[in-house]
Amino acid sequence: PSSVEWKLGNDLLSSQDVLSFDTATYSDGNNTLTLTATDESGNSSVKTKSFYIDNEAPSLEITSPMMNAALGSSYVLTWAFDSSATGERANLLSCEIKENENYINSNIQCALGQISVSTGNLTGPVTLKITATDPAGRKTVKTLDVIYP
């Protein structure tokens, strides 16, 4: 082609044949990359590709039980996560949940927001840990100390 133009949204990224850019300079969210190639006669061809920029780890908060809570033989662990993730993207966030570094669940959809837990044979102080992982592999870890019966 006589000329090329790469755009992200309305921002001109490059006029070179090959594109390389750092997504860290752009906000997370849906984006459209457009390539326009024009030949020497002025004929143009345009191709677009939509994609999601994901530079940030998911947000995550354990909402219950409370820190240092004394629990019964079963309880519901609840959490809130990345409020900007909706629909299909929310379903792609995965959580792993541990008691004292032992898995309760190694791959639950964060979108569920809760899991029922039986304390089993564990007693006394226990550290619960939830790790949320987004599709780009970024992780957020939260811990909570509780007391099992």
Side-chain angles (χ1 to χ4, degrees):
S2 178
S3 68
V4 295
E5 182 177 86
W6 293 92
K7 285 187 172 184
L8 183 63
N10 292 323
D11 294 341
L12 178 64
L13 298 176
S14 177
S15 295
Q16 304 297 315
D17 290 344
V18 177
L19 174 67
S20 175
F21 72 101
D22 184 359
T23 64
T25 60
Y26 294 89
S27 299
D28 284 9
N30 292 315
N31 288 275
T32 302
L33 181 65
T34 303
L35 169 62
T36 304
T38 306
D39 67 16
E40 292 173 2
S41 298
N43 300 310
S44 294
S45 179
V46 177
K47 298 292 181 188
T48 61
K49 177 70 176 171
S50 295
F51 64 99
Y52 192 92
I53 290 179
D54 182 3
N55 293 312
E56 307 232 353
S59 66
L60 175 69
E61 294 300 325
I62 298 173
T63 55
S64 100
M66 301 302 290
M67 180 66 85
N68 297 317
L71 303 174
S73 60
S74 65
Y75 63 96
V76 176
L77 176 64
T78 61
W79 59 87
F81 71 96
D82 196 355
S83 59
S84 67
T86 58
E88 181 180 325
R89 179 157 164 68
N91 291 331
L92 293 175
L93 292 171
S94 66
C95 286
E96 62 182 32
I97 303 165
K98 294 181 178 182
E99 292 170 321
N100 292 342
E101 294 302 320
N102 297 309
Y103 284 108
I104 294 175
N105 192 306
S106 62
N107 190 15
I108 188 170
Q109 284 185 347
C110 286
L112 297 175
Q114 68 179 31
I115 186 172
S116 295
V117 180
S118 172
T119 58
N121 295 328
L122 287 176
T123 60
V126 172
T127 299
L128 301 173
K129 179 163 73 171
I130 300 179
T131 303
T133 306
D134 70 13
R138 290 174 179 78
K139 297 178 184 279
T140 299
V141 177
K142 295 291 180 169
T143 60
L144 173 72
D145 294 324
V146 295
I147 301 168
Y148 278 10

